[in-house]
């Protein structure tokens, strides 16, 4: 099993993007899409389709279906919000056999990781970590600490990195105001704390001012190419693609057969 320094950022690209739900009784399912291109060349990489289930206005579940250029699904992530900032999640990518996540068992949290189908999946019981942030919980963290970030505070967080079977300390801060496609937005920067923060590239995320929804992500992707290297991606989430969905459509994403691209 390979543990490169770049792998520390493996899961962060998938950690962003849920829209703010309107408080309403009952259940609501929202869907939106993201289009990933190579960061420097803008060559198409893949697309991702998100489905979010809200109960009484609170995020409860997320399904993400990753698709090849021809629309064929090759990876999927399922998230259960047992904790707002540190949900259980299970990601599988059939391109090489990547399988990683965090699960709850008998009141304990367990992190697991397998890089390829040739590897043995490894697991580790996660000790109690105050302020833990995992996967899509980062998106909730940004919105939950929006006012503090906008006031100029630089916040530290312990982010789960499955490939390391543990957590690493990151720092997130507000970088600047911006306008994209006529939409006022704010840019936040996420980087590793300490000396590694000066060595590894930072990640920048752009959120709309009004709805606090993710509009763009730039940095290392959570997915890998055929050689096992993380994509350096620019992922755009067009606001027009945020729509109301239904249980049947979400279930299709959960049950879709995954096949490698190419």
């Amino acid at each position: 099993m390979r543990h490169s320094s770049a792998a520390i950022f493996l899961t962060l690209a998938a950690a962003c993007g849920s829209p703010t739900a309107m408080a309403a009784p009952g259940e609501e399912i929202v869907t939106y899409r993201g289009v990933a291109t190579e960061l420097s060349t803008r060559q198409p990489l893949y697309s991702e389709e998100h489905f979010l289930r809200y109960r009484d206005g609170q995020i409860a579940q997320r399904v993400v279906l990753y698709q090849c250029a021809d629309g064929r699904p090759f990876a999927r992530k399922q998230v259960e919000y047992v904790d707002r900032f540190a949900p259980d999640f299970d990601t599988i990518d059939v391109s090489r056999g990547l399988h990683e996540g965090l699960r709850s068992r008998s009141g304990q949290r367990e992190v697991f990781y397998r890089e390829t189908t040739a590897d043995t999946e490894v697991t580790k019981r996660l000790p109690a970590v105050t302020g833990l942030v995992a996967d899509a919980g980062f998106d909730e963290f940004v919105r939950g600490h929006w006012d503090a970030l906008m006031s100029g505070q630089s916040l530290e967080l312990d982010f789960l990195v499955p490939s390391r079977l543990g957590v690493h300390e990151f720092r997130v801060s507000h970088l600047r105001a911006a306008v994209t496609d006529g939409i006022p937005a704010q840019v936040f920067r996420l980087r590793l704390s300490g000396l590694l923060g000066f060595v590894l590239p930072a990640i920048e995320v752009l959120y709309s001012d009004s709805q606090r929804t993710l509009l763009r992500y730039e940095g290392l992707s959570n997915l890998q190419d055929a050689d096992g290297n993380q994509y350096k991606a620019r992922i755009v989430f067009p606001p027009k693609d945020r729509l109301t969905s239904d249980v049947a459509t979400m279930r299709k994403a959960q049950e879709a057969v995954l096949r490698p691209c190419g």
Side-chain angles (χ1 to χ4, degrees), residues 19-28 52-61 81 84 140:
T20 302
M22 298 295 292
E27 188 171 272
E28 179 185 17
L52 289 90
R53 186 194 300 264
Y54 293 91
R55 295 191 179 100
D56 297 325
Q58 300 298 315
I59 181 71
Q61 184 183 27
Y81 286 84
R84 182 185 178 190
E140 294 296 317

Side-chain angles (χ1 to χ4, degrees), residues 148-149 151-157 170-174 189 193:
L149 290 168
S151 72
Q153 294 185 45
S154 180
L155 304 180
E156 291 186 347
L157 57 91
F170 287 79
R171 183 176 295 274
V172 58
S173 57
H174 177 247
R189 174 174 288 169
S193 296

Side-chain angles (χ1 to χ4, degrees), residues 55-213:
R55 295 191 179 100
D56 297 325
Q58 300 298 315
I59 181 71
Q61 184 183 27
R62 175 197 298 259
V63 176
V64 186
L65 194 64
Y66 300 90
Q67 299 168 318
C68 313
D70 61 3
R72 182 189 316 171
F74 69 93
R76 176 169 43 235
K77 177 172 66 176
Q78 301 197 68
V79 183
E80 298 288 340
Y81 286 84
V82 298
D83 182 287
R84 182 185 178 190
F85 297 155
D88 284 355
F89 69 98
D90 187 304
T91 301
I92 184 165
D93 179 351
V94 299
S95 302
R96 301 177 68 245
L98 174 72
H99 188 214
E100 66 172 21
L102 175 66
R103 55 193 169 217
S104 299
R105 286 183 172 177
S106 303
Q108 299 288 330
R109 310 297 299 278
E110 181 181 81
V111 57
F112 58 92
Y113 183 77
R114 182 190 71 198
E115 185 167 353
T116 73
T117 51
D119 298 319
T120 299
E121 185 171 287
V122 290
T123 64
K124 183 178 180 181
R125 182 171 292 181
L126 197 66
V129 177
T130 302
L132 176 68
V133 178
D135 200 74
F138 174 70
D139 189 50
E140 294 296 317
F141 181 90
V142 170
R143 278 199 302 279
H145 296 81
W146 186 274
D147 292 340
L149 290 168
M150 291 301 296
S151 72
Q153 294 185 45
S154 180
L155 304 180
E156 291 186 347
L157 57 91
D158 288 320
F159 194 86
L160 178 70
V161 182
S163 63
R164 299 297 182 94
L165 297 180
V167 301
H168 284 267
E169 189 175 271
F170 287 79
R171 183 176 295 274
V172 58
S173 57
H174 177 247
L175 189 60
R176 62 181 182 274
V179 177
T180 179
D181 294 329
I183 301 174
Q186 302 295 333
V187 181
F188 301 94
R189 174 174 288 169
L190 178 73
R191 67 166 64 247
L192 272 165
S193 296
L195 294 178
L196 280 177
F198 295 98
V199 178
L200 295 178
I203 286 172
E204 292 188 6
V205 288
L206 185 146
Y207 282 76
S208 67
D209 255 337
S210 58
Q211 299 297 317
R212 300 180 184 179
T213 55

